[in-house]
Amino acid sequence: MKIIQLEYFLKIVECGSITKAAKELYVSQPTLTKAINNLEAEFNIHLLERSAQGICVTPEGRKFFRYAVNVVIASRNLVNTFSESTGETCVLSLASQQLDFVYDLIDEICASHSYRSINIDLQELRRGKVAEYVADFRSDLGLMVLSGDDTLSFQRQLTKRQLQISPLDTSGVYICVGPNSPYYERSEVSIEEASSCLHVLLDIDEVSKYELLAGNSDSFEVDSSRIIFVNSINAARHFIAKWDAAMYAPKWILKQMTENTVIRAIPVKDKDRWNNVNRLVWVKRQNEALSPVEQQFVDLLNVYFQLPESAQTPELG
C-alpha cells in the first residue's frame, strides 16, 4: 500500500467518478484503475462498484474510506511537521473533560504563536475516554476530574494505563438546580435532601454507570430509577432548567452551567466530607518529555491554579 493509492481512492469517492477524479488529479484513468485494483488485491476486499452512472462505494469501501482518511491526514501532518521547507509546527493535542477554563488557556497559547505555526487538537470527552486517548497516543495531554467516590475498578484502569498524574486543584461538591426545583432559593442543600430528585449525571464512565444502575455504587445517594445520563453541558443545562432536576458538579464547570442561564449552583452541606472530594489532574504518558508547547500549556495550568513550583512535578499514577 502507498499513500498515493489512498489519495487516489479518496479523490474517486469525492468525485463519484474515475473520469472526474483523473481530470482533477492530472493522471490517466488507467493509473487510477490500477491503483484501486492493487488496493483491492492487497487487502482482499471490493472497494467500488462500477456502472454507466459512475461508481458506488461498497460497504467494505465505506469502512476502508474512514481508515484511509486518517492515514492520509496523518501522512500530511508528518510532512508538515518535519519538512525543513515548511518550518516547525507546534502541536498541542489535548483530551479533556468539559472544563470552563480550558478555552481561555488555549486562547493564550494561540496568542503567543503565529496561527501558521500551531495546530490545536482539542477532544472533549468523557473522563474515562480522556485516559484512554492519552494512553493510546490519540492525545498527548489529558485533563480530568477524579472523585473520592470513584469505583475501585475505575481507579485500577487508570493505574494500568501507565500514566503520570499531576494534581492541579481540589473542589467541593455543588448541586446545580433550575427554577422548578424546591431548593432553588436555598443557600445550601444536603445530599440526603437531594437524593430523591431527578438526577442529571454528566460524563459518567461506563463502569460507574453500570454499578450505579445495578445498585452497587458507593457514590452519592441517587435514585437509580430517576436518572438522565448526558455527555454534554448543553444537554445538562436543558434538563436542569426545564425540569425539577439536579446535578452534582465540581467548581470547574459551574461557569458553563450557570452563565446566561436560570440555573443556580448551590454548595452541598457537610463540608468536612465533601470539601475536597474532587481532584482536578492533568495526565501524560510515563517517561515522555513534554514538547515546548505542551510545557507552555502545563505552565499556564500551574499559573492559573497558582501552584507552587514544588507541586509541579508529576506523580506516578
Side-chain angles (χ1 to χ4, degrees):
M1 181 192 72
K2 298 179 180 179
I3 299 298
I4 191 67
Q5 293 173 320
L6 300 181
E7 292 177 338
Y8 286 168
F9 173 64
L10 297 183
K11 178 58 71 173
I12 292 171
V13 174
E14 176 188 334
C15 294
S17 163
I18 292 179
T19 302
K20 291 180 181 178
K23 289 181 179 179
E24 292 196 15
L25 292 168
Y26 299 101
V27 299
S28 67
Q29 293 183 44
T31 298
L32 294 188
T33 300
K34 182 179 179 180
I36 298 303
N37 290 341
N38 287 341
L39 285 175
E40 290 179 328
E42 180 176 353
F43 292 98
N44 193 28
I45 57 177
H46 190 44
L47 298 173
L48 303 172
E49 295 283 357
R50 286 85 165 174
S51 70
Q53 289 74 37
I55 60 99
C56 178
V57 185
T58 67
E60 284 182 317
R62 289 197 299 270
K63 185 176 181 179
F64 188 88
F65 180 89
R66 291 193 291 270
Y67 285 102
V69 168
N70 291 332
V71 172
V72 169
I73 290 175
S75 174
R76 290 172 181 170
N77 286 340
L78 280 172
V79 172
N80 291 336
T81 300
F82 296 104
S83 172
E84 292 182 358
S85 62
T86 60
E88 183 179 0
T89 298
C90 299
V91 178
L92 178 62
S93 178
L94 176 66
S96 176
Q97 289 183 255
Q98 297 171 85
L99 301 165
D100 58 24
F101 59 87
V102 171
Y103 306 146
D104 292 335
L105 297 188
I106 290 177
D107 284 343
E108 292 190 50
I109 293 284
C110 289
S112 64
H113 291 261
S114 164
Y115 282 103
R116 292 173 296 178
S117 65
I118 185 166
N119 293 329
I120 304 291
D121 181 9
L122 172 62
Q123 300 292 326
E124 291 188 301
L125 306 164
R126 293 186 178 187
R127 65 175 189 162
K129 285 290 184 181
V130 170
E132 178 182 314
Y133 264 54
V134 176
D136 294 345
F137 292 84
R138 284 180 280 179
S139 296
D140 294 322
L141 298 180
L143 285 169
M144 60 191 301
V145 178
L146 303 181
S147 167
D149 287 310
D150 282 335
T151 60
L152 288 176
S153 56
F154 180 73
Q155 294 180 31
R156 283 196 292 269
Q157 286 179 32
L158 294 180
T159 302
K160 287 181 179 179
R161 293 187 184 279
Q162 300 296 306
L163 300 177
Q164 286 184 340
I165 301 174
S166 300
L168 290 168
D169 197 14
T170 60
S171 172
V173 180
Y174 296 80
I175 190 164
C176 296
V177 294
N180 293 315
S181 169
Y183 308 119
Y184 190 67
E185 301 296 337
R186 296 276 292 274
S187 59
E188 58 180 10
V189 177
S190 71
I191 295 292
E192 291 74 17
E193 288 174 314
S195 62
S196 61
C197 290
L198 170 64
H199 276 276
V200 176
L201 299 184
L202 174 67
D203 286 346
I204 301 298
D205 63 274
E206 293 302 319
V207 173
S208 298
K209 181 190 295 186
Y210 174 81
E211 295 193 355
L212 179 61
L213 293 176
N216 298 326
S217 174
D218 293 327
S219 73
F220 298 143
E221 297 177 22
V222 173
D223 183 350
S224 61
S225 66
R226 305 189 68 212
I227 297 176
I228 302 177
F229 292 104
V230 298
N231 65 353
S232 78
I233 285 179
N234 282 339
R237 294 197 307 185
H238 171 86
F239 294 116
I240 293 170
K242 186 171 184 178
W243 300 100
D244 172 16
M247 184 182 83
Y248 297 119
K251 64 185 180 183
W252 308 293
I253 66 168
L254 298 185
K255 180 180 178 182
Q256 295 180 76
M257 288 299 302
T258 61
E259 192 170 54
N260 300 319
T261 73
V262 296
I263 295 171
R264 290 191 63 220
I266 303 169
V268 167
K269 289 181 181 178
D270 195 358
K271 292 183 178 179
D272 289 342
R273 179 181 178 190
W274 306 116
N275 191 39
N276 295 317
V277 71
N278 295 299
R279 282 197 305 151
L280 177 68
V281 302
W282 69 270
V283 300
K284 75 175 189 70
R285 293 179 292 275
Q286 290 184 20
N287 304 319
E288 285 191 11
L290 297 175
S291 70
V293 71
E294 290 166 353
Q295 185 63 59
Q296 181 184 9
F297 183 77
V298 170
D299 289 343
L300 287 173
L301 283 173
N302 291 328
V303 170
Y304 185 88
F305 291 105
Q306 300 181 334
L307 292 180
E309 186 173 348
S310 60
Q312 297 177 16
T313 302
E315 63 183 25
L316 293 181

